[in-house]
Amino acid sequence: RAHTAIVGWACMTLCLVSYAAAFSQGASLSACTDMMPRHLRVQLHSSNNNYVTVHTNVSFYFPGDKVPVTVRSTRDYMGFMLQARKVSNNEIAGTFIFLPPGSKLLTCFEDGDTVTHPDKSLKRNLSFVWKAPDQPIGDIKFFISIVQSYFVYWAKIESAVVAQ
């Protein structure tokens, strides 16, 4: 009986460790649409947090423009997923062409349309450059989901509208 309990505990521990390790290298493709982490028993916090903001230094853009995007936080976090989305239909748009250390590209619908984390190192302030498509797509917003710890996250924190 004790042997069965130990084996069960060992199997459960190995499953949890392998599941946690799977997300330590960034968001999975299953998060592309809703930007929600796929962790076990995570606790979603309101997207109206007061410590993470997404900024651009422009209020409008033209097709093909490069737009600087800065994520600022007053607390450390381990993981993130960043996307630009059309205001009109919420579709992911454009590509990221500059990434800071502590980030990597992810292909949700087209190469480089999403950025995520490559590891669990603590992050705070990150700067990116997004390239608008060459064809008009309308107004956009940037969205970021932040994972503070394996069990605590904020989904789809949004920037101000960047008009076209």
Side-chain angles (χ1 to χ4, degrees), residues 10-126:
C11 286
M12 188 174 92
T13 301
L14 286 173
C15 288
L16 286 174
V17 168
S18 64
Y19 196 79
F23 295 102
S24 67
Q25 295 183 359
S28 71
L29 292 175
S30 64
C32 286
T33 303
D34 63 8
M35 299 184 74
M36 303 287 265
R38 300 299 191 256
H39 303 175
L40 293 174
R41 288 178 268 144
V42 290
Q43 179 181 356
L44 172 64
H45 289 268
S46 165
S47 61
N48 299 324
N49 74 74
N50 58 0
Y51 81 92
V52 177
T53 55
V54 184
H55 295 281
T56 64
N57 63 357
V58 298
S59 56
F60 65 92
Y61 75 98
F62 294 101
D65 275 0
K66 296 175 176 89
V67 177
V69 180
T70 304
V71 177
R72 294 191 180 115
S73 176
T74 58
R75 298 183 195 169
D76 291 335
Y77 54 91
M78 291 193 297
F80 70 94
M81 178 183 234
L82 175 67
Q83 297 174 334
R85 291 179 175 245
K86 298 177 197 178
V87 171
S88 63
N89 62 10
N90 203 38
E91 287 181 359
I92 300 170
T95 56
F96 288 90
I97 58 170
F98 173 80
L99 311 176
S103 59
K104 71 177 185 179
L105 290 174
L106 182 66
T107 300
C108 284
F109 297 102
E110 84 176 74
D111 287 346
D113 62 5
T114 302
V115 185
T116 189
H117 56 286
D119 58 42
K120 297 188 296 188
S121 65
L122 296 179
K123 298 147 191 68
R124 189 167 285 208
N125 298 314
L126 301 172

Side-chain angles (χ1 to χ4, degrees), residues 98-158:
F98 173 80
L99 311 176
S103 59
K104 71 177 185 179
L105 290 174
L106 182 66
T107 300
C108 284
F109 297 102
E110 84 176 74
D111 287 346
D113 62 5
T114 302
V115 185
T116 189
H117 56 286
D119 58 42
K120 297 188 296 188
S121 65
L122 296 179
K123 298 147 191 68
R124 189 167 285 208
N125 298 314
L126 301 172
S127 295
F128 306 86
V129 175
W130 175 80
K131 184 178 183 301
D134 293 331
Q135 302 301 317
I137 58 166
D139 299 349
I140 60 149
K141 284 185 180 182
F142 292 93
F143 289 88
I144 192 162
S145 291
I146 296 287
V147 176
Q148 182 178 338
S149 69
Y150 188 72
F151 298 105
V152 178
Y153 73 96
W154 287 260
K156 295 184 85 170
I157 300 163
E158 59 188 76

